[in-house]
Every structure is written in C-alpha cells, then in structure tokens.
C-alpha cells in the first residue's frame, strides 16, 4: 500500500517546503511514497531536484523506492524531459518506463546532474563554460570574467556536497524570465544533497561552544556569515564566504536551507526573510542562487 502525496501545482522553493511538510505529516511514515505530480503546471530548477531529494529521503527512510506520477501538462512534461530529469530519477524512484534522452535545452546552463564524486564535479564545471559564456555574457550582460567566477562558484558549491555532506547530491541551472519579482531574465542555480547538513557537519567543532543554543540556524549563521568550518585549520570555511561576496557583487540572491532553518542574502529586488526557523526538518543542505540580468556591463 502506497502513501500518496500530491505535489503542489507550482513547484518552486516555497512549494518544496509544502512538499516536505506533506511528506512528514499524516499517514504511515513507513509506507511506500507515491508523489502525485499530475497537477504540476510549472517547475523551477530548485523544485525539479527537490523531487529527487524528497524521493531519496523517503527511500532511505522506508527502504522502498518511491513512485512518481509525472505531470499531465504537455509543456511541463517536455521541459522535465529536456532537462534530463528522468535518468537521475531512475536512481531514486521506481519508474516503469524511462523516456529517451533528448538533446540539451537551449537555455539550460546545467541539466539535472547527479553528484557522487569529484569527477562528477569536474565534468559539470568543464561542461558549463561554453554555455555560461553564451548565457551569462551574451544574454544577461555579465562581463567575460564573470564566466570564470561562476565556474569557481559552481565548483565550490558542488564540492561542498562531497566534502561536508558525505552524501549524494544534484545540481541544475537554467536561464528564464523572472516575471514575478524582477521582470528580467535570471540564471537560477540549485544544488541539493541529503547528507548531514550544516548542523551535523559543524557540530563536532562548534556545538560545545554554543551549548544549548546550537541549532541548524546557528550553524548556518556560523558558516554563512562568519566563515566557520568543521575543520580547525586556519583559512578553512572561506569557500562559502567567497560565494556570498560574489553573489552580493552581482546583486544576486543566495538561499541556503538546512535542517529546519534557512538563511539568505536578500537583495533589494527580493522580499525573502534573511533567516527563517521552524521549517519542516529535512536532511542535508539545499542551495538556491539567483543571478539577475545586468542593467549595465561594467565590472566583473
């Protein structure tokens, strides 16, 4: 007997929170999960790999590969297929059929890619350079050195999956029009894992000093705002700080969710909260980076 959870119709970062809550509440938590995505009408890169993260966590908890009902909307089905979602999903879900792999989508910076090793990270970074040149420089007006900075940022955020999470992860990035907030084109980069999370990763080195105040939120603040690391050596923990500084320089947004909290760098064009707690607890870390189209072309 499967436990059915209906996926929200608009599958983005907000819907990801809703989906976690639905999976964690009600019904038999040990029953096989069926994600019913038939009503999904729109999906973001974050929402797309969020399905994989939720499915993987359910598989670990129940010992059974979950099931998934694909969206009925033809455009959404086409987009998901072009973003190479199903090959990654086949490692998480019990799929009856696997659509044939299509050619790359024009505005995809990175199709859904599973990260298990340093070789995977290297392949992603190497494969993104030409597309980053076309999308970041030509389409969004970033100077040419930004392509290098983006590659470094991408490498760092993916390496964190291997170095800190000690778990499988996924990455996905795409350019599209962000009508809801900006009315401009953006590149959206999403990276997720279902590992130990910031609280677990930093706990051995920092939890005792924080005492009872140690939490997912304090771990995120320690890493994101102060550059603290699970490694005691001086100079460690600067990768996330470098990402934060670069995102600020580009007037972008970055959001990191871990455990039951989320911390964010919020630009003036966004209305998110800098820190939220009390969210449905979920393993690992989930990163969202949004880089907006440049109004001018000066600076790197």
């Amino acid at each position: 007997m499967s436990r059915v959870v209906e996926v929200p119709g608009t599958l983005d970062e907000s819907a990801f929170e809703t989906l976690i809550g639905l999976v964690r509440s009600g019904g038999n938590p040990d029953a096989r999960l069926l994600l019913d995505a038939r009503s999904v009408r729109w999906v973001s890169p974050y929402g797309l790999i969020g399905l994989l993260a939720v499915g993987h966590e359910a598989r670990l908890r129940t010992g059974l590969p979950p099931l998934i009902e694909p969206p009925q909307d033809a455009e959404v089905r086409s987009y998901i297929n072009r973003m190479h979602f199903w090959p990654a999903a086949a490692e998480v879900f019990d799929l009856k059929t696997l659509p044939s792999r299509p050619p790359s989508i024009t505005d995809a910076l990175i199709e859904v890619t599973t990260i298990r090793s340093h070789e995977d990270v290297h392949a992603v970074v190497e494969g993104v350079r030409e597309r980053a040149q076309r999308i970041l420089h030509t389409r969004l007006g970033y100077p040419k050195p930004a392509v290098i900075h983006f590659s470094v940022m991408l490498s760092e955020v993916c390496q964190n999956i291997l170095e800190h999470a000690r778990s499988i992860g996924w990455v996905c990035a795409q350019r599209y029009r962000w009508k809801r907030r900006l009315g401009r084109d953006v590149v959206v980069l999403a990276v997720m894992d279902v590992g130990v999370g910031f609280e677990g990763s930093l706990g051995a080195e920092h939890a005792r000093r924080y005492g009872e105040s140690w939490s997912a939120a304090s771990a995120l603040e320690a890493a994101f705002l102060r550059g603290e690391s699970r490694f005691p050596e001086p100079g460690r923990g600067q990768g996330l700080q470098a990402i934060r500084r670069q995102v600020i320089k580009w007037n972008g947004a970055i959001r990191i969710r871990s455990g039951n909290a989320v911390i964010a760098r919020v630009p003036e064009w966004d209305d998110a909260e800098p820190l939220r707690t009390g969210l449905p607890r979920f393993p690992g870390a989930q990163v969202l980076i949004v880089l907006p189209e440049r109004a001018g072309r000066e600076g790197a």
Side-chain angles (χ1 to χ4, degrees):
M1 190 73 177
S2 298
R3 178 170 172 245
V4 181
V5 171
E6 185 172 350
V7 179
T10 299
L11 187 52
D12 56 9
E13 62 268 26
S14 298
F16 180 68
E17 303 295 346
T18 302
L19 185 59
I20 294 172
L22 291 172
V23 170
R24 289 299 180 94
S25 65
N28 180 3
D30 297 322
R32 190 182 200 186
L33 179 68
L34 168 58
L35 291 180
D36 184 355
R38 289 177 296 178
S39 298
V40 172
R41 301 177 303 278
W42 189 87
V43 60
S44 71
Y46 190 93
L48 200 56
I49 60 174
L51 289 176
L52 298 173
V54 169
H56 190 274
E57 197 269 342
R59 183 169 187 153
L60 290 178
R61 189 181 67 246
T62 65
L64 298 169
L67 303 168
I68 184 169
E69 286 280 0
Q72 293 180 331
D73 185 278
E75 290 187 8
V76 175
R77 288 174 69 100
S78 177
Y79 167 75
I80 289 176
N81 193 26
R82 296 195 312 270
M83 289 296 285
H84 299 174
F85 171 78
W86 296 114
E91 301 179 11
V92 175
F93 296 94
D94 181 5
L95 301 180
K96 305 306 180 185
T97 60
L98 182 63
S100 59
R101 187 177 177 120
S104 298
I105 182 174
T106 303
D107 287 331
L109 193 55
I110 307 165
E111 288 92 354
V112 175
T113 304
T114 304
I115 302 295
R116 300 184 192 83
S117 66
H118 293 287
E119 288 74 19
D120 291 330
V121 177
H122 179 73
V124 168
V125 174
E126 285 297 311
V128 82
R129 287 179 182 171
E130 183 179 342
R131 294 186 187 184
Q133 170 76 19
R134 185 179 72 248
I135 293 174
L136 285 174
H137 177 61
T138 306
R139 302 292 294 270
L140 269 66
Y142 283 75
K144 288 184 179 180
V147 176
I148 299 173
H149 295 315
F150 180 83
S151 296
V152 172
M153 183 169 64
L154 174 63
S155 177
E156 180 66 34
V157 75
C158 288
Q159 291 284 0
N160 283 342
I161 294 175
L162 305 173
E163 190 169 352
H164 300 289
R166 302 188 292 277
S167 171
I168 192 173
W170 304 271
V171 59
C172 181
Q174 189 201 352
R175 180 197 72 88
Y176 60 82
R177 195 79 171 172
W178 199 327
K179 297 179 181 178
R180 181 171 50 129
R181 297 176 188 172
L182 272 173
R184 283 188 280 165
D185 283 2
V186 297
V187 161
V188 175
L189 169 66
V191 181
M192 294 189 181
D193 69 73
V194 285
V196 299
F198 278 74
E199 186 178 2
S201 178
L202 274 67
E205 182 67 23
H206 301 285
R208 182 177 299 178
R209 176 162 54 88
Y210 281 80
E212 293 184 357
S213 66
W214 182 248
S215 64
S218 56
L220 283 170
E221 288 179 316
F224 188 66
L225 300 179
R226 296 187 293 278
E228 296 178 9
S229 169
R230 71 184 179 95
F231 299 105
E233 297 89 355
R236 298 303 295 264
Q238 296 306 303
L240 188 56
Q241 291 293 292
I243 292 172
R244 178 169 167 263
R245 287 192 297 268
Q246 190 63 62
V247 170
I248 290 173
K249 187 174 183 179
W250 289 338
N251 195 30
I254 179 170
R255 173 187 188 272
I256 304 177
R257 187 197 197 285
S258 187
N260 65 347
V262 60
I263 195 166
R265 186 270 166 175
V266 184
E268 77 281 354
W269 50 262
D270 200 358
D271 57 0
E273 297 177 50
L275 181 67
R276 291 177 62 199
T277 59
L279 301 174
R281 185 168 285 276
F282 193 73
Q286 297 79 44
V287 180
L288 174 68
I289 296 174
V290 182
L291 304 178
E293 181 181 2
R294 298 282 293 236
R297 304 210 171 212
E298 71 286 350

